[in-house]
Amino acid sequence: MNETIQTLINRRSIRSYTSQQISEEDLQLILKAGEYAASGMGLQPVTMVVVQDKDTIAKLTAMNAAIMGTDQDPMYGAPTIIVVLADPEKSVNAWSDGCLVMGNLMNAAASLGLGSCWINRAKEEFESPEGKALLKEWGLPQHLVGVGHCIVGYAAQPAKPAKPRKADFVKYVR
């Protein structure tokens, strides 16, 4: 089996991270993979915001936890958060294109031996006044829609094994 397929099969969501920051080289490779995700008609209606500043990570974590209704860390202590935002004014496919970016980011991280996880609730975060304030602070349009947070870092513990695939996952019409 080739290396790409092996990475796709073995990637798992990591929910516990060390505090060690990822290297700039690895970050740039992961972002490059995100940039080259497929997009409808090549419109590229997605923006990635890399957050490594501890205060901003704390703010995103608190916002996300509040939406989830918990006081636990929904970012699992990851030292890097890549916020993926879609621009529905650029493309009707912006949300789907953002999902493809998220997949590329996570698979690229896995290929480099890093952990990652898709954290939801970005849509609700960036619809809120606090989220709109962050968009403004980052110099981004207020109409962007949160797709997800790709958290990235070094796994603090091994990933759980994959659950067996369901029997009726694939249907053939030949």
Side-chain angles (χ1 to χ4, degrees):
M1 184 178 313
N2 78 34
E3 192 175 334
T4 300
I5 301 297
Q6 195 69 39
T7 297
L8 295 172
I9 290 170
N10 290 328
R11 190 209 72 79
R12 293 287 163 270
S13 293
I14 300 299
R15 293 180 176 87
S16 180
Y17 294 85
T18 70
S19 60
Q20 180 184 352
Q21 188 55 266
I22 66 174
S23 73
E24 185 64 24
E25 180 182 3
D26 285 348
L27 174 62
Q28 293 307 315
L29 289 170
I30 292 166
L31 294 171
K32 183 67 71 179
E35 289 174 6
Y36 279 86
S39 72
M41 299 175 54
L43 293 175
Q44 304 173 45
V46 177
T47 298
M48 297 179 287
V49 178
V50 177
V51 179
Q52 294 179 319
D53 170 69
K54 290 181 184 198
D55 290 338
T56 308
I57 288 174
K59 185 180 287 189
L60 289 172
T61 297
M63 290 169 63
N64 199 285
I67 293 165
M68 194 166 63
T70 185
D71 59 358
Q72 295 180 354
D73 177 3
M75 304 300 178
Y76 302 105
T80 296
I81 300 173
I82 304 170
V83 180
V84 176
L85 302 159
D87 188 340
E89 292 185 8
K90 284 189 178 176
S91 171
V92 297
N93 299 312
W95 178 265
S96 300
D97 292 347
C99 292
L100 290 169
V101 168
M102 288 289 295
N104 275 21
L105 294 172
M106 292 183 297
N107 287 316
S111 78
L112 297 169
L114 295 168
S116 68
C117 188
W118 182 325
I119 305 300
N120 287 305
R121 295 166 297 281
K123 182 177 186 296
E124 296 87 345
E125 277 180 45
F126 290 97
E127 287 174 339
S128 75
E130 195 172 8
K132 297 292 184 196
L134 279 175
L135 291 174
K136 184 175 182 178
E137 179 182 324
W138 297 339
L140 295 171
Q142 299 289 294
H143 66 269
L144 295 184
V145 176
V147 175
H149 308 80
C150 181
I151 59 173
V152 183
Y154 293 96
Q157 55 196 29
K160 294 179 181 177
K163 293 180 181 177
R165 302 295 95 172
K166 64 181 188 173
D168 63 344
F169 208 115
V170 178
K171 298 287 184 188
Y172 293 90
V173 179
R174 293 183 171 166

